[in-house]
Amino acid sequence: MGSDHLTLIALLTPAAAFLVLAIVAPLRRAGRPAAYFSILGAAGSLAAAVGGWRAYDGAVMRLAWEWLPGQGKPLATIGVLADETSTIMLVLVALVAFLVQLYSLSYLSEEPPPGLGRYYTYQSLFAFSMMGLVLAPNLLQLFICWELVGLCSYLLIGFWYQKPEAARAAVKAFWTTKAGDVGLLIGIVMLWNVSGTFDLGELRMMVSSNQLPLAGLSIITFCIYLGAMGKSAQFPLHVWLPDAMEGPTPVSALIHAATMVTAGVYLLHRTAWLFALTPDVLLIVAWIGAFTALLAAVLACVQDDIKRVLAYSTVSQLGYMMTAIGAGVSVAGFFHLLTHGLFKALLFLGAGAVIHAVGSNDLSRMGGLARRMPQTAIVFVVGTLSLAGIPFFGGFLSKEEILGSVWGGGLVGPFALLMLVAFLTAFYMFRVVFLAFFGAPAVRPAVAVTGFSPIAHYDAAGHHGDHGSHEHDPPAPMLLPLWILAVLSVGVGIYSTAAGRILFFGPAAAEAGAAEHAAPGWLTPAAVGVAIAGIALAWLTYYTRTISASSLASLFGPIRTAALRKFWIDDLFEGVVAAATLAFSSLIGWIDRYLVDGVLNVVSAWTVTTGDEMRSIQTGRVQDYLYGLAVGLLLLLVWVRWSLM
Amino acid sequence: MGLQAYLTLAAIVFGIGLFGVVTRRNTIGILLGIELMMNAVNINLVAFARFSGSDVGMIFTVFAICITVAEAAMGLAIVILLFRIRRTVMADHLDLLKG
């Protein structure tokens, strides 16, 4: 079987799992059987995806069926497109989806059976939608799947919908990404208007043969970028991602770290040849990406919630990828997407294990966990080193590639921002490591155990309320995914560091990536240097406590205060949205009250007055009626007589 | 005397009857007015039958007189019932249909 058929199987397996779980209600309500069924589907999907990746031989394979008929050629097709980008991305999606589903089995073990079945139904739907997005041969199918993953994100963020924050976060995520999606839809339709096709292959042909008119193309690419901005949490549409952490931690790992949020980066990488025609938009992409990276990194430094640190870190790394795309080397951004998917999923699942054990997201409740959870500590440190970009770990080369491409692209400003972000990334991640895994165990009030906060209650699904005895490494179904991801992160890191080039792509892509920029020799030492400086600062502050955290905080007083308020961006949005909604509704209210109701009131008042005046005719006396009758008849007779004459 | 004289008489009787119906305050008076109007019609029928040479009008008049008698009986019965219920037969007071 060719890679196209294998990828199709990988796509349809979770779809089948979803359909069965959605239709066969008893299976879904049974909980664990539904989970096993879904995991089985994910495993099959992973096997097919790996098969499709290995079977890929350099020739672009596509399977497409006519969907919307058109004149001459179909208006839209539906199918799979297997090329070097989609096959490797498919493997990442299938792998993380499978590991997360396996992990969730233990993480959500205390969930009631119907809830568990619902969870796995959504998970299967998500896996299918994300794979459909990855494999989409045209922009229309991509958009449909794009919306489907948005729906799954909404459903899974709001999985604990009884919790008001979760329901609110779900709605916020849905609306914010939807704001960007409108741009994407407009962009796709406008692109169709000038090119007459949705098909990625045909569009690429048109671009390479210069058939696409350049006038107005910037607007189109910017609209497409708006969609990516919403999905990939770029400033100013990044506000939904930190709130999305209200969902279960495995969901955060899968959707809000490894796969769905990277869809924007993937889309821009997929259409990089189109964006290459509009350098002005690329410049916007680069600057917004770098700014987002810095903003999120600063925000991550002041968070006390372990998941929120990771969430802002994700936003920051997405900014990194976007900057690389803006610099015109989308391969570097895509490579970082893949490595980031591995180690960020690892970090989230590790954080999940910690939350599971401690029963709280709060860093101040952790401390000294390395002794009691040694395996979790090891894999978490591996993920942290990968994120910091230390050689021989996953994120090292991809980060280097991005920095090199941004420097090579002549974007000095974004480059400087990204170097600062590299420092901050190392700092805030090791802050988490030192606070959570080292130092003295936090003093936990014994009384507060039973009356836990709602977050702890919901998030610590497998938690029994007794702290001391439960702070140990998680059970095997949770540990196994952690180790697999850790080994893969290190493996990718060692291979890419040793080989010194992008490993997944064919040699052609690697050469193309290398030829486009020539990284200066000082880049690697500088990047590793700032990362180590960040680690050192975190070590001095949070491990040896040579530098007191409070003096560090007072050094950056105003920035810290602003960061604690999320730079007022959320407040601004809420204010603007609230003001706009209020203004609009009061306008509508005025129209309703004075125009719509006014007309009705005038008509009814007129009717009432007329009726009041006319009622005096009705005396109720028979004789008056008779009199009227006689007079009327007489008049009628006179009139007939007169008209006949 | 010609047809015109009879028709004029009928018209006068009809007018008197109508006047009585419209102006009498007593319900029984109204009934009497109605009787007068019916009889004016009967005069017309007889007169036309007499001058056209057909007997149909005469026969019709006999029927009409019978029906008038029945109607008078019905009307009086209604007046009596009305009096039992409302304790009055004055038409001014019977204004349940007043708007």
Side-chain angles (χ1 to χ4, degrees):
Chain A
M1 270 197 293
S3 59
D4 48 352
H5 286 98
L6 283 165
T7 51
L8 187 67
I9 292 171
L11 171 67
L12 293 182
T13 315
F18 164 70
L19 283 178
V20 169
L21 288 180
I23 294 168
V24 187
L27 177 62
R28 185 175 71 242
R29 296 213 184 90
R32 289 189 88 81
Y36 296 138
F37 189 74
S38 175
I39 292 171
L40 202 65
S45 176
L46 174 62
V50 173
W53 175 46
R54 298 311 310 169
Y56 178 71
D57 53 3
V60 177
M61 308 275 270
R62 56 182 298 152
L63 279 178
W65 288 270
E66 184 176 328
W67 173 38
L68 294 178
Q71 287 173 335
K73 64 186 171 83
L75 186 61
T77 55
I78 203 150
V80 297
L81 175 68
D83 61 9
E84 58 187 6
T85 312
S86 67
T87 46
I88 181 67
M89 182 77 181
L90 188 72
V91 171
L92 175 75
V93 173
L95 174 71
V96 181
F98 169 67
L99 292 179
V100 161
Q101 290 196 14
L102 190 63
Y103 179 94
S104 307
L105 194 60
S106 177
Y107 189 83
L108 295 173
S109 57
E110 299 217 333
E111 201 63 29
L116 198 66
R118 187 162 57 88
Y119 177 82
Y120 275 97
T121 312
Y122 294 161
Q123 282 277 1
S124 291
L125 177 62
F126 174 77
F128 160 69
S129 318
M130 191 65 208
M131 289 175 184
L133 193 161
V134 169
L135 294 170
N138 62 54
L139 289 171
L140 213 55
Q141 184 187 335
L142 187 140
F143 183 76
I144 294 168
C145 293
W146 183 277
E147 292 300 322
L148 273 176
V149 291
L151 171 72
C152 293
S153 162
Y154 165 79
L155 290 171
L156 284 168
I157 294 170
F159 177 65
W160 287 313
Y161 55 84
Q162 305 93 331
K163 193 165 61 154
E165 302 93 41
R168 210 179 143 77
V171 173
K172 184 173 179 179
F174 196 73
W175 277 111
T176 316
T177 51
K178 207 55 57 193
D181 293 352
V182 172
L184 177 61
L185 183 61
I186 293 173
I188 289 174
V189 172
M190 281 169 77
L191 189 61
W192 178 80
N193 201 24
V194 295
S195 69
T197 179
F198 291 115
D199 195 273
L200 285 167
E202 287 177 27
L203 279 170
R204 191 167 191 171
M205 292 275 282
M206 291 180 77
V207 168
S208 57
S209 60
N210 291 326
Q211 281 176 333
L212 210 60
L214 287 178
L217 200 62
S218 294
I219 299 172
I220 295 173
T221 49
F222 185 73
C223 282
I224 294 176
Y225 172 59
L226 273 183
M229 183 195 265
K231 207 59 121 192
S232 289
Q234 295 294 292
F235 175 84
L237 297 182
H238 66 280
V239 291
W240 66 272
L241 189 54
D243 285 21
M245 297 302 126
E246 294 292 343
T249 311
V251 169
S252 309
L254 174 62
I255 299 183
H256 306 118
T259 55
M260 189 199 82
V261 289
T262 57
V265 178
Y266 181 77
L267 170 67
L268 261 54
H269 174 57
R270 210 83 166 114
T271 54
W273 31 268
L274 187 68
F275 277 77
L277 297 178
T278 56
D280 42 350
V281 174
L282 279 182
L283 198 63
I284 297 175
V285 174
W287 272 100
I288 291 186
F291 179 70
T292 308
L294 180 63
L295 182 82
V298 172
L299 284 167
C301 291
V302 300
Q303 298 297 322
D304 283 326
D305 182 328
I306 186 168
K307 280 182 75 182
R308 280 187 175 260
V309 176
L310 292 175
Y312 279 117
S313 158
T314 306
V315 176
S316 179
Q317 297 303 309
L318 288 168
Y320 249 87
M321 300 171 204
M322 284 293 192
T323 315
I325 288 169
V329 191
S330 66
V331 174
F334 184 61
F335 182 38
H336 194 53
L337 188 166
L338 296 174
T339 55
H340 173 260
L342 289 177
F343 62 69
K344 191 49 74 66
L346 166 62
L347 284 172
F348 263 110
L349 295 183
V354 171
I355 294 166
H356 198 77
V358 178
S360 166
N361 290 7
D362 201 341
L363 280 173
S364 62
R365 287 182 172 276
M366 302 167 189
L369 290 174
R371 199 165 300 138
R372 273 162 297 182
M373 308 173 68
Q375 299 194 50
T376 314
I378 291 169
V379 294
F380 198 88
V381 170
V382 166
T384 308
L385 289 170
S386 295
L387 180 55
I390 301 300
F392 303 108
F393 288 95
F396 166 65
L397 192 74
S398 54
K399 216 167 199 172
E400 295 289 311
E401 288 283 330
I402 289 179
L403 288 169
S405 62
V406 172
W407 179 259
L411 300 165
V412 182
F415 178 80
L417 293 180
L418 290 190
M419 286 302 268
L420 184 56
V421 171
F423 170 76
L424 288 173
T425 307
F427 172 71
Y428 67 67
M429 278 318 295
F430 272 90
R431 172 175 171 261
V432 170
V433 168
F434 289 134
L435 282 180
F437 291 101
F438 298 97
V443 186
R444 294 182 189 86
V447 197
V449 168
T450 45
F452 245 149
S453 69
I455 293 174
H457 172 71
Y458 280 104
D459 219 348
H463 183 48
H464 304 289
D466 181 6
H467 280 284
S469 59
H470 280 277
E471 286 180 8
H472 51 64
D473 276 321
M478 282 168 79
L479 263 185
L480 186 67
L482 287 174
W483 276 110
I484 290 173
L485 287 168
V487 167
L488 280 175
S489 290
V490 176
V492 168
I494 290 175
Y495 183 87
S496 60
T497 312
R501 63 179 174 84
I502 301 168
L503 90 147
F504 296 112
F505 310 103
E511 279 164 23
E516 276 175 48
H517 69 277
W522 51 264
L523 184 73
T524 307
V528 176
V530 293
I532 287 173
I535 297 172
L537 182 64
W539 188 68
L540 287 174
T541 314
Y542 295 105
Y543 188 69
T544 64
R545 312 248 172 200
T546 318
I547 306 169
S548 93
S550 54
S551 67
L552 199 65
S554 60
L555 187 64
F556 296 101
I559 298 177
R560 187 183 140 81
T561 318
L564 282 173
R565 300 287 307 136
K566 303 182 201 168
F567 291 106
W568 297 281
I569 296 169
D570 290 47
D571 298 334
L572 181 73
F573 272 22
E574 275 176 30
V576 167
V577 168
T581 312
L582 278 181
F584 183 67
S585 50
S586 57
L587 175 72
I588 294 290
W590 186 86
I591 290 174
D592 187 46
R593 232 168 269 143
Y594 295 101
L595 291 187
V596 179
D597 285 9
V599 170
L600 281 179
N601 285 344
V602 164
V603 169
S604 72
W606 185 73
T607 312
V608 167
T609 321
T610 319
D612 261 352
E613 283 165 8
M614 299 278 276
R615 66 188 288 182
S616 58
I617 296 175
Q618 303 286 337
T619 57
R621 287 200 292 260
V622 185
Q623 284 167 308
D624 292 346
Y625 297 121
L626 261 176
Y627 185 68
L629 207 86
V631 170
L633 191 67
L634 191 68
L635 286 174
L636 206 65
L637 283 173
V638 169
W639 178 67
V640 168
R641 181 81 185 136
W642 173 78
S643 66
L644 280 181
M645 280 206 315
Chain B
M1 289 199 289
L3 177 63
Q4 189 138 26
Y6 293 101
L7 293 188
T8 312
L9 174 68
I12 291 169
V13 172
F14 187 88
I16 293 170
L18 183 62
F19 183 77
V21 166
V22 172
T23 56
R24 297 296 295 186
R25 293 185 63 229
N26 198 316
T27 319
I28 292 173
I30 294 171
L31 270 179
L32 289 178
I34 291 172
E35 292 299 314
L36 273 181
M37 287 159 76
M38 297 284 274
N39 279 316
V41 173
N42 286 344
I43 292 170
N44 269 0
L45 284 171
V46 172
F48 281 122
R50 173 78 174 76
F51 282 92
S52 65
S54 164
D55 295 339
V56 178
M58 307 278 191
I59 297 164
F60 209 81
T61 308
V62 174
F63 275 106
I65 289 170
C66 294
I67 291 167
T68 313
V69 170
E71 178 254 306
M74 288 287 292
L76 283 171
I78 289 171
V79 170
I80 289 166
L81 278 175
L82 201 60
F83 183 76
R84 281 193 191 158
I85 294 166
R86 303 290 306 268
R87 308 307 297 174
T88 177
V89 289
M90 291 302 149
D92 312 11
H93 300 157
L94 302 172
D95 57 354
L96 282 178
L97 281 176
K98 184 172 169 58

